[in-house]
Amino acid sequence: MIQSRLIATELTPAPTGLDLVRNDLPTTPPPGHLRVKVLASAINPADINYLEGQYGDRPELPARLGMEGIATVIAHAPDTLPTPEAPVPAIGSQVIFIRRCGCWADILDVTPEDVLKVPTNLTPEQGALLKVNPMTALRMLSDFADLNPGDWVMQNAANSSVGECVIQIAKKLGLRTVNVVRREGLQQPLTSLGADAVIVDSKNTKDELMEITAGNAPKLGLNAVGGDSALRMMDCLANRGTMVTYGAMSRRAIKVPNGMLIFKQLRLEGFWVTKWIAAQKRARLETDYASLAQWMTDGSLRTTVSQTFPLSAYEQAFTNAKQDRRGGKVLFIPSAG
Amino acid sequence: MIQSRLIATELTPAPTGLDLVRNDLPTTPPPGHLRVKVLASAINPADINYLEGQYGDRPELPARLGMEGIATVIAHAPDTLPTPEAPVPAIGSQVIFIRRCGCWADILDVTPEDVLKVPTNLTPEQGALLKVNPMTALRMLSDFADLNPGDWVMQNAANSSVGECVIQIAKKLGLRTVNVVRREGLQQPLTSLGADAVIVDSKNTKDELMEITAGNAPKLGLNAVGGDSALRMMDCLANRGTMVTYGAMSRRAIKVPNGMLIFKQLRLEGFWVTKWIAAQKRARLETDYASLAQWMTDGSLRTTVSQTFPLSAYEQAFTNAKQDRRGGKVLFIPSAG
């Protein structure tokens, strides 16, 4: 059985330094492993940062690539047994990769611990985008501030994939969102997802926000930009509020006036879903991902795919993935072409 | 009865804008009040910042001054009754001011809620310095990180008054301290207080710290400097560590690389003892201040006074209080001179 997979041979901006390699796999998976066929896998900003050596960990070269995707189980090694922390999904079931497996590949041998079973009515496009962004949004809205229904949450980069999940999940939790974006024209698409307010980031951000919320400063801010945008967010938040940083699109550090910490008593935290997943028990992951998968299949949590590519078209896929304003994620459909 | 008190008539660097005024007080305190004679009151950096309009709240002019001090109760209004949240201290007992009363005065009329009884064996020099710095140190060491005996704590501005309290209280709690200072010559005095290590802040801070702690990065950092010193502290802390900011001696904002929040998962918080006190029940304050007072009287918690002045010498007091390297707090002894 031939496996095709993308690997990195140097840490440079993709697609330079990438290579599509073919390996001859043994007929059965190695002991303790499952063989899966990848249905779809995502190109995330995290993948691009990882390839440029700008991520939380640095790849050892040559590196297997791809952090997020969905697959069908096609074979078991004969001795693959379930454990409490890792049941063995049946052949034909769908799984997402909850550990980094390098899922920019068509066929993969993985361990039961690497994957989590998801409903078969989840489409490849939905499943490929289940792990990272929806969970990031759910956890940031749930774990950092004591919010009540009707409370306002502020976020920047509101038209990012996480931002769109935040809007929809906040709605489900009864929270209201002020959504800060960097350009005009996003009012309609974000409002249609459930945004309560959309404003373009500027020196008037605080005044606009206070007018929208009738002076109720948000207790929680979600920051994926950094730099001046983060500073404006800190200025908008309530005393004792929390700003959670999960991205840094401006690639600029956050400048924190000391009084924001001492007198305003803001708390600054960060969120990285990879670390969160690694720290959870499987039962917790199963429960939380089941909720998110249910919302995806009932249509109340939508993620947008802009375009799909076979692995062989990876150069074009990256050109597309790096475009601003593409309006959705780029996916690989590894078994195609 | 004549009261002398210092007031601010404009928000300018002290002592400009200060005035010593005399008021004729009625024979008995107003209803519900106690009359106290101030034994000693402190000049803190917070007072100086307040006078320059750089503090968490801005004074309304003309403003009564002085946030921290100790006094003896000399009279009660006839109808002053105890409540569960505010017992009435007997005449002759010693009290500290737990609300801002403007205690740069020789005689004051205050409410029972404004003060907290402390042991009479506390000297005026000890009592005047009980409220702010020892409690700031105790709370920062207790409330922000889950520390075990033997764990390392890092602090900058280690030769400040809070810094000296941190060294001594950490010792009592079984914690070890790495103490960062901005000049040579402080090794001996800080070690004599119980410092486990003293280093001069530089680009080698992290290497020196790691050598001292044998690679055990501190889970808690206490920052009163800001700017580059805070950045170096963040770099030194363990993953998932917490940096608590309680001062900003460099008067420079903290620059937070996004990865410190996202990947290193640091948490940045602030501490302001005034807000902490305001949020506590009296029983809690009584318990915590009793512990600190006990440590002061048994000699295990020492605070240093550099010089004392009568209120009439306030110009000289401020000149002295603003000097670096003065080696201790400047106090007013308001009933003198």
Side-chain angles (χ1 to χ4, degrees), chain A residues 2-15:
Chain A
I2 303 297
Q3 175 199 56
S4 297
R5 83 184 307 164
L6 273 177
I7 60 156
T9 53
E10 36 174 336
L11 297 187
T12 53

Side-chain angles (χ1 to χ4, degrees), chain A residues 181-220:
Chain A
V181 293
R182 285 163 293 173
R183 58 182 165 91
E184 301 285 352
L186 294 162
Q187 178 84 35
Q188 192 280 323
L190 296 186
T191 303
S192 77
L193 285 177
D196 295 282
V198 180
I199 56 184
V200 176
D201 210 357
S202 76
K203 64 177 170 38
N204 300 322
T205 294
K206 187 175 182 179
D207 292 341
E208 292 181 47
L209 175 135
M210 286 300 174
E211 191 167 329
I212 290 162
T213 65
N216 291 303
K219 286 186 267 184
L220 178 66

Side-chain angles (χ1 to χ4, degrees), chain A residues 54-56 223 226 245-248 252-258 261-263 265-272 275, chain B residues 54-56 226 245-248 252-258 261-263 265-272 275:
Chain A
Q54 302 287 331
Y55 200 57
N223 165 46
T245 293
Y246 68 96
R252 295 176 74 97
I254 301 172
K255 190 177 156 191
V256 189
N258 294 278
L261 296 170
I262 305 171
F263 300 128
Q265 303 199 283
L266 291 188
R267 174 184 291 200
L268 269 52
E269 304 214 42
F271 185 75
W272 187 16
K275 284 275 184 193
Chain B
Q54 301 287 330
Y55 200 58
T245 293
Y246 68 96
R252 294 176 73 97
I254 302 171
K255 190 177 156 191
V256 189
N258 295 279
L261 295 170
I262 306 170
F263 299 129
Q265 303 198 282
L266 290 188
R267 173 184 294 201
L268 270 53
E269 304 214 42
F271 186 75
W272 186 16
K275 283 274 184 195

Side-chain angles (χ1 to χ4, degrees), chain A:
Chain A
M1 194 167 228
I2 303 297
Q3 175 199 56
S4 297
R5 83 184 307 164
L6 273 177
I7 60 156
T9 53
E10 36 174 336
L11 297 187
T12 53
T16 315
L18 293 188
D19 203 5
L20 185 62
V21 298
R22 289 165 64 86
N23 305 303
D24 199 355
L25 296 181
T27 316
T28 54
H33 283 62
L34 314 167
R35 182 160 292 171
V36 303
K37 180 182 163 198
V38 181
L39 302 173
S41 49
I43 301 181
N44 280 314
D47 293 296
I48 292 171
N49 293 340
Y50 184 68
L51 284 170
E52 296 180 8
Q54 302 287 331
Y55 200 57
D57 54 355
R58 286 171 69 91
E60 254 185 64
L61 298 175
R64 297 166 173 196
L65 300 172
M67 304 181 185
E68 185 179 33
I70 184 168
T72 300
V73 180
I74 57 173
H76 291 166
D79 65 342
T80 306
L81 294 172
T83 67
E85 267 301 288
V88 178
I91 290 174
S93 52
Q94 283 202 140
V95 294
I96 60 168
F97 302 100
I98 55 167
R99 294 183 180 177
R100 194 186 288 170
C101 298
C103 61
W104 293 349
D106 56 355
I107 305 288
L108 275 179
D109 290 337
V110 296
T111 69
E113 288 82 4
D114 291 332
V115 295
L116 187 90
K117 194 175 159 184
V118 293
T120 47
N121 62 347
L122 207 59
T123 66
E125 287 74 14
Q126 290 172 329
L129 298 175
L130 170 58
K131 173 180 144 191
V132 173
N133 295 332
M135 186 60 89
T136 298
L138 178 61
R139 296 271 63 82
M140 293 197 298
L141 288 169
S142 306
D143 297 348
F144 291 88
D146 188 15
L147 301 175
N148 298 310
D151 279 351
W152 288 96
V153 172
M154 177 181 189
Q155 68 166 337
N156 59 22
N159 59 319
S160 69
S161 297
V162 172
E164 292 187 354
C165 290
V166 164
I167 290 169
Q168 297 171 84
I169 294 173
K171 198 91 190 164
K172 288 197 152 287
L173 301 176
L175 304 170
R176 291 187 285 185
T177 53
V178 178
N179 297 281
V180 178
V181 293
R182 285 163 293 173
R183 58 182 165 91
E184 301 285 352
L186 294 162
Q187 178 84 35
Q188 192 280 323
L190 296 186
T191 303
S192 77
L193 285 177
D196 295 282
V198 180
I199 56 184
V200 176
D201 210 357
S202 76
K203 64 177 170 38
N204 300 322
T205 294
K206 187 175 182 179
D207 292 341
E208 292 181 47
L209 175 135
M210 286 300 174
E211 191 167 329
I212 290 162
T213 65
N216 291 303
K219 286 186 267 184
L220 178 66
L222 308 177
N223 165 46
V225 177
D228 290 340
S229 178
L231 184 59
R232 284 191 285 273
M233 180 175 282
M234 287 186 276
D235 195 32
C236 289
L237 294 180
N239 286 349
R240 310 190 69 88
T242 301
M243 182 171 82
V244 183
T245 293
Y246 68 96
M249 290 190 187
S250 73
R251 298 211 172 180
R252 295 176 74 97
I254 301 172
K255 190 177 156 191
V256 189
N258 294 278
M260 291 280 184
L261 296 170
I262 305 171
F263 300 128
K264 192 164 174 175
Q265 303 199 283
L266 291 188
R267 174 184 291 200
L268 269 52
E269 304 214 42
F271 185 75
W272 187 16
V273 76
T274 304
K275 284 275 184 193
W276 183 85
I277 290 171
Q280 304 312 308
K281 294 223 178 282
R282 175 163 291 256
R284 169 70 188 271
L285 295 176
E286 284 172 352
T287 308
D288 284 10
Y289 277 114
S291 295
L292 292 169
Q294 171 60 34
W295 296 344
M296 278 183 157
T297 54
D298 73 19
S300 59
L301 177 59
R302 285 173 277 161
T303 57
T304 321
V305 174
S306 73
Q307 215 170 337
T308 66
F309 295 90
L311 290 179
S312 56
Y314 69 87
E315 294 189 334
Q316 207 187 331
F318 276 96
T319 304
N320 194 302
K322 287 176 163 183
Q323 276 167 8
D324 282 345
R325 312 197 180 193
R326 65 180 180 277
K329 284 280 176 204
V330 174
L331 299 186
F332 284 122
I333 304 293
S335 302

